[in-house]
Amino acid sequence: MPKNKISEFSSTPANNTDIGGIDIAEGCAPSGINNAIRELMAQLKDQQVGSDADSFTVGGALSVTGTSTLTGAVTATAGVTGNLTGNVTGNVTGNVTGNVSGTALNVTGTVAVANGGTGLTSAGADGNVITSNGSIFTSVAPVIEVPSGAIMHFARNSAPTGWLKANGAAISRTTYASLFSAIGTTFGSGDGSTTFNVPDLRGEFTRNWDDGRGVDSGRAFGSFQEPTFLGNFAGDSESIFITNPDSVVSRAAIRGGSGQAATFRSATDNSFRPRNVALLACIKV
């Protein structure tokens, strides 16, 4: 069978009697030798650029000093000591002590960090990301960055790590420097020098700041607003909304029957309140 790839050569010299169909056995014609050398040169070039798509195994360390295109699988039992600067479309199953740039689909060996760092030997937990501090690779859960000053509600009665209850407390300007930089003294200046206050959202509804729209004009950012009394109704009838508070509205007018007229209750300490649930408001430090 003609040997058309270097991978088809035999490690026993006497068995290499042809190359690409050219007879190079003992006693071959001189022209066959010339043709065989030319064919060998062509196959070496093909092997270099990867056009023959050979997979190969390196028993020792694979040292890549130039730019190589590897289109098949590469198994280096003693590691790859050069740099892989292209895309790795096959599998690298040895250790890579150089740099890997490009797109690596499968790396099952140890990927080391520059400057003699320690490599990561496994992909880590599902959904984790690979990160490096310059010395080691680690597999960690992705981090969602939440800026200082963000407000969130939690279905728990204590603040989680990295958060404080939005309870109006005075806290240190140095310990919570990032939060102080974000909100300043908008919600209170604390002792005026070393502390500042977080917003106090206990028992409060929040309203989006008007910010020049004119719907809730005149409001300063972070300011408190008293309730607007909408009126409550007494008697044994349902509560209703009235567009003209000077008119008299009866149950008959509402329900089509007869009955007691609705009356206003004094709105000294009552305002309209929708259904709600109590959650803990916290601020990101």
Side-chain angles (χ1 to χ4, degrees):
M1 179 178 179
K3 297 178 176 60
N4 298 309
K5 297 180 181 180
I6 292 177
S7 60
E8 295 171 350
F9 293 175
S10 172
S11 58
T12 303
N15 293 336
N16 294 315
T17 58
D18 73 273
I19 179 170
I22 301 171
D23 178 21
I24 57 172
E26 293 293 335
C28 69
S31 61
I33 297 175
N34 291 335
N35 292 336
I37 292 173
R38 295 188 183 103
E39 176 65 21
L40 177 60
M41 293 171 66
Q43 290 191 26
L44 287 172
K45 183 60 179 179
D46 287 343
Q47 183 75 10
Q48 181 187 36
V49 299
S51 62
D52 63 356
D54 266 351
S55 296
F56 59 94
T57 299
V58 181
L62 173 62
S63 180
V64 183
T65 57
T67 299
S68 298
T69 301
L70 308 176
T71 57
V74 178
T75 301
T77 58
V80 179
T81 58
N83 297 327
L84 301 180
T85 58
N87 293 333
V88 180
T89 57
N91 299 324
V92 179
T93 58
N95 296 329
V96 179
T97 58
N99 299 321
V100 178
S101 61
T103 303
L105 299 182
N106 297 298
V107 179
T108 58
T110 299
V111 181
V113 183
N115 303 320
T118 303
L120 183 70
T121 57
S122 65
D126 184 30
N128 277 13
V129 297
I130 308 301
T131 184
S132 170
N133 63 6
S135 296
I136 61 172
F137 279 125
T138 56
S139 170
V140 298
V143 177
I144 300 176
E145 293 292 339
V146 179
S148 295
I151 294 289
M152 289 188 68
H153 291 84
F154 293 90
R156 52 186 290 175
N157 58 15
S158 61
T161 301
W163 298 76
L164 292 175
K165 291 182 178 181
N167 59 5
I171 60 177
S172 170
R173 299 186 182 190
T174 54
T175 303
Y176 301 102
S178 295
L179 179 57
F180 181 63
S181 177
I183 71 173
T185 59
T186 301
F187 303 96
S189 57
D191 63 5
S193 60
T194 64
T195 63
F196 69 107
N197 295 88
V198 297
D200 193 349
L201 300 183
R202 294 173 297 175
E204 304 288 358
F205 287 105
T206 58
R207 182 176 187 175
N208 294 329
W209 180 39
D210 184 273
D211 197 18
R213 184 182 181 189
V215 175
D216 187 26
S217 59
R219 291 288 303 281
F221 176 77
S223 63
F224 176 79
Q225 188 179 56
E226 293 290 346
T228 299
F229 297 110
L230 302 178
N232 300 284
F233 301 91
D236 63 351
S237 64
E238 293 85 356
S239 296
I240 59 174
F241 291 101
I242 299 179
T243 57
N244 182 4
D246 294 327
S247 65
V248 176
V249 181
S250 67
R251 288 172 61 95
I254 299 171
R255 305 176 64 179
S258 60
Q260 175 183 343
T263 58
F264 286 103
R265 175 185 297 163
S266 173
T268 56
D269 62 352
N270 296 297
S271 61
F272 188 82
R273 179 174 57 236
R275 291 180 60 175
N276 61 85
V277 60
L279 297 175
L280 179 65
C282 295
I283 188 167
K284 185 71 172 68
V285 299

